[in-house]
């Protein structure tokens, strides 16, 4: 099969470097690619976690973009994302939302943005609401990133210290629902702030979007045991409980608490329904009564204010610690 590096070398590098050999050599030297044998893959979270271990994240001021497969990008996407990230005026900003569909590329760039705000419960684990495509109300008014409680695996743009300090949990094997809320609460409790980008620079081909990784496994009993352990793990973290052996690097931070996240986001993380009722907090998303996924609560996220962290100096230090 043609590798992604081969595809890049043959189809995109000539256009990028205009045939200049020195440019092509220097560009290829900066690309690192890893493959995982099919029989060793255990779902998207596990594989993203393995990438977290392998990726070179050094360099103060470096930026990281994490995406899914089947992606596309608008022209000068990196400049657009950097401009948008700077508009947040926050070293600890993580821009994240479900990408715009490639079928809607005619409204990509600054012509639209995605609002992703809120979770609903799927088997007692929060899953992100359906993102809404929004259009600027006034082209003369500068749109800026807006706070959200959501993190989306399809598009996450931040300083690389966010990836280093809050790596993807490779122990969440055979999981789909749960990855995003896991990363959201961990990033937020470590002091990072989640924002919806105000541009659509990254796109995704949803034509054949389906989850079939469960079909590629070895011993079924082994997969079932690992999947059950993953479900126990995610539910324990969202309940503020521990698991055998602890979470290690994949646990919550100490800059903000889980209770603060629930109160701030009005989100039931699985066992927090009584807490919300006790504190008279209406869920940001009403639980779906049908098979349709609920949409984002646009106005709720527009009302969010950044929650202070426990120790500003420690947070700043974490951005430079290697």
């Amino acid at each position: 099969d043609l590798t992604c590096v081969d595809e890049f070398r043959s189809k995109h590098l000539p256009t990028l470097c205009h045939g200049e050999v020195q440019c092509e050599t220097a560009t290829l030297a900066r690309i690192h690619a890893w493959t995982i044998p099919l029989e060793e893959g255990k779902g998207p979270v596990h594989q993203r976690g393995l990438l977290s271990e392998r990726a070179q994240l050094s360099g103060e001021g470096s930026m990281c973009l994490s995406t899914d497969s089947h992606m596309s990008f608008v022209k000068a996407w990196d400049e657009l994302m950097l401009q948008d990230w700077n508009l947040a005026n926050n070293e600890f900003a993580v821009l994240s939302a479900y990408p715009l569909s490639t079928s809607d590329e005619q409204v990509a760039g600054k012509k639209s943005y995605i609002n992703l705000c809120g979770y609903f419960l799927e088997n007692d684990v929060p899953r992100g609401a359906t993102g809404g495509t929004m259009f600027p109300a006034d082209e003369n008014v500068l749109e800026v990133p807006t706070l959200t409680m959501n993190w989306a695996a399809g598009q996450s743009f931040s300083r690389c210290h966010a990836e280093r300090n809050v790596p993807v949990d490779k122990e969440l094997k055979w999981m789909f629902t749960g990855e995003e809320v896991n990363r959201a609460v961990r990033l937020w409790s470590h002091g990072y702030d989640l924002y919806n980008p105000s541009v659509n620079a990254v796109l995704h081909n949803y034509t054949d979007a389906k989850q079939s990784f469960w079909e590629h496994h070895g011993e079924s009993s082994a997969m079932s045991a690992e999947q059950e352990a993953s479900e126990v793990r995610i539910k324990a973290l969202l309940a503020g409980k521990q698991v055998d052996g602890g979470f290690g690097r994949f646990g919550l931070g100490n800059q903000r608490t889980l209770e603060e996240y629930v109160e701030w986001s009005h989100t039931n993380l699985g066992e927090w329904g009584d807490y919300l009722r006790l504190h008279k907090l209406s869920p940001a998303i009403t639980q779906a009564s049908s098979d349709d996924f609920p949409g984002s609560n646009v106005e709720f996220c527009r009302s969010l204010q950044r929650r202070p962290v426990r120790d500003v100096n420690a947070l700043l230090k974490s951005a430079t610690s290697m």
Side-chain angles (χ1 to χ4, degrees), residues 157-215:
F157 186 72
S158 66
R159 289 285 196 208
C160 289
H161 56 70
E163 298 288 338
R164 185 175 65 246
N165 293 335
V166 193
V168 178
D169 188 352
K170 66 178 182 180
E171 299 303 326
L172 291 179
K173 302 169 183 176
W174 307 109
M175 291 288 289
F176 181 69
T177 298
E179 172 188 10
E180 296 182 329
V181 70
N182 171 282
R183 201 82 188 286
V185 298
R186 289 174 55 226
L187 283 163
W188 197 84
S189 63
H190 275 84
Y192 291 89
D193 295 295
L194 306 167
Y195 295 82
N196 287 157
S198 64
V199 296
N200 274 321
V202 180
L203 294 81
H204 180 64
N205 186 345
Y206 293 96
T207 302
D208 193 29
K210 60 182 179 181
Q211 304 303 320
S212 58
F213 58 87
W214 291 284
E215 299 172 6

Side-chain angles (χ1 to χ4, degrees), residues 113-278:
Y113 58 94
I114 301 296
N115 179 278
L116 174 60
C117 179
Y119 296 93
F120 64 98
L121 290 178
E122 184 177 79
N123 297 323
D124 295 324
V125 175
R127 178 168 180 169
T130 300
T133 303
M134 313 295 290
F135 301 93
D138 187 341
E139 62 181 18
N140 296 315
V141 176
L142 181 66
E143 295 285 343
V144 298
T146 54
L147 286 167
T148 180
M149 72 284 280
N150 291 68
W151 179 85
Q155 178 184 196
S156 179
F157 186 72
S158 66
R159 289 285 196 208
C160 289
H161 56 70
E163 298 288 338
R164 185 175 65 246
N165 293 335
V166 193
V168 178
D169 188 352
K170 66 178 182 180
E171 299 303 326
L172 291 179
K173 302 169 183 176
W174 307 109
M175 291 288 289
F176 181 69
T177 298
E179 172 188 10
E180 296 182 329
V181 70
N182 171 282
R183 201 82 188 286
V185 298
R186 289 174 55 226
L187 283 163
W188 197 84
S189 63
H190 275 84
Y192 291 89
D193 295 295
L194 306 167
Y195 295 82
N196 287 157
S198 64
V199 296
N200 274 321
V202 180
L203 294 81
H204 180 64
N205 186 345
Y206 293 96
T207 302
D208 193 29
K210 60 182 179 181
Q211 304 303 320
S212 58
F213 58 87
W214 291 284
E215 299 172 6
H216 305 288
H217 60 82
E219 182 64 38
S220 295
S221 60
M223 185 189 75
S224 296
E226 289 177 332
Q227 186 173 7
E228 183 178 349
S230 298
E231 292 173 356
V232 169
R233 186 177 180 85
I234 181 63
K235 289 180 179 180
L237 182 125
L238 297 178
K241 301 175 182 177
Q242 269 298 340
V243 292
D244 292 342
F247 291 102
R249 298 182 62 213
F250 309 118
L252 297 170
N254 61 8
Q255 288 289 353
R256 300 176 177 127
T257 67
L258 206 56
E259 288 83 357
E260 287 178 307
Y261 178 87
V262 172
E263 179 185 346
W264 175 77
S265 67
H266 291 206
T267 298
N268 182 358
L269 295 175
E271 297 184 9
W272 294 84
D274 290 341
Y275 183 93
L276 290 171
R277 286 187 288 272
L278 178 65

